[in-house]
Amino acid sequence: MTATVGTTTYDAVTVGDRLPELTIPLTRTLIVATALATRDFQDVHHDPALAVERGSKDVFMNILTTNGLVGRCVTDWAGPRASLRRIAVRLGAPNYPGDVMTLTGEVIAKDDGLVTVKVRGANSLGDHVTGTVVVAWTAVGNR
C-alpha cells in the first residue's frame, strides 16, 4: 500500500478525470486490526473458525474499514486541502485475506465548489464496494 498525495485543486478538476488506482493487499492483519481499531468486535471480522461457522469462508473486512479506504483513495488524489463532504457506498463481494482490492475513481460531477467522484473497489470475487464521494477544497482562490 503506497500513496502518492495529490495537489489537485477544484479549478483543475474536470468531469471525466480518473483517479490513480489504489491497490490494497488484503492481509489477515489488516482485516483484523482495522475491525478492532474501529471497535467492531463482531467475531466474523477476527475469528476464522466462528466466521466459517456463520457461513463465511474466512474473516472479512468490515464496512468502517472499507469507508476509510474509499476516503483514502479520494484524498490521496485530492490532496491536503480537500475535505470529504459525503461518502455513500454499497457493499458487494467480501474482502477476504489473501486477496487484493483495487480502488478506482472517476469525477462524474463538478458544481458550486463540490466535486463528485464515482468509486469502485474490486477484488477477485467482483465489486467489493461501489459508491460516490463528494469533495470540497479549502483556501481562498483554491476552493
Side-chain angles (χ1 to χ4, degrees):
M1 268 189 312
T2 60
T4 304
V5 177
T7 55
T8 305
T9 64
Y10 176 81
D11 293 334
V13 173
T14 305
V15 172
D17 286 352
R18 294 194 181 275
L19 281 61
E21 286 187 354
L22 176 60
T23 302
I24 308 291
L26 302 171
T27 65
R28 183 171 304 279
T29 300
L30 174 72
I31 291 168
V32 172
T34 56
L36 297 176
T38 60
R39 301 178 126 193
D40 185 342
F41 302 116
Q42 293 294 316
D43 49 31
V44 294
H45 301 306
H46 65 83
D47 187 319
L50 286 174
V52 169
E53 186 178 302
R54 285 168 175 63
S56 180
K57 78 173 195 175
D58 203 340
V59 296
F60 54 91
M61 183 173 282
N62 73 344
I63 190 168
L64 294 172
T65 302
T66 298
N67 276 342
L69 292 171
V70 165
R72 176 184 166 199
C73 178
V74 174
T75 57
D76 281 359
W77 161 75
R81 292 190 173 170
S83 62
L84 304 182
R85 297 297 176 96
R86 185 175 72 94
I87 297 176
V89 298
R90 179 174 295 252
L91 293 180
N95 267 343
Y96 290 121
D99 207 341
V100 173
M101 178 175 64
T102 302
L103 286 153
T104 57
E106 179 182 356
V107 175
I108 60 169
K110 179 181 176 182
D111 185 45
D112 197 28
L114 300 174
V115 170
T116 303
V117 177
K118 178 176 69 173
V119 293
R120 176 179 179 247
N123 60 38
S124 67
L125 300 174
D127 287 347
H128 168 67
V129 63
T130 55
T132 58
V133 178
V134 177
V135 185
W137 278 263
T138 58
V140 177
N142 194 20
R143 287 201 257 180

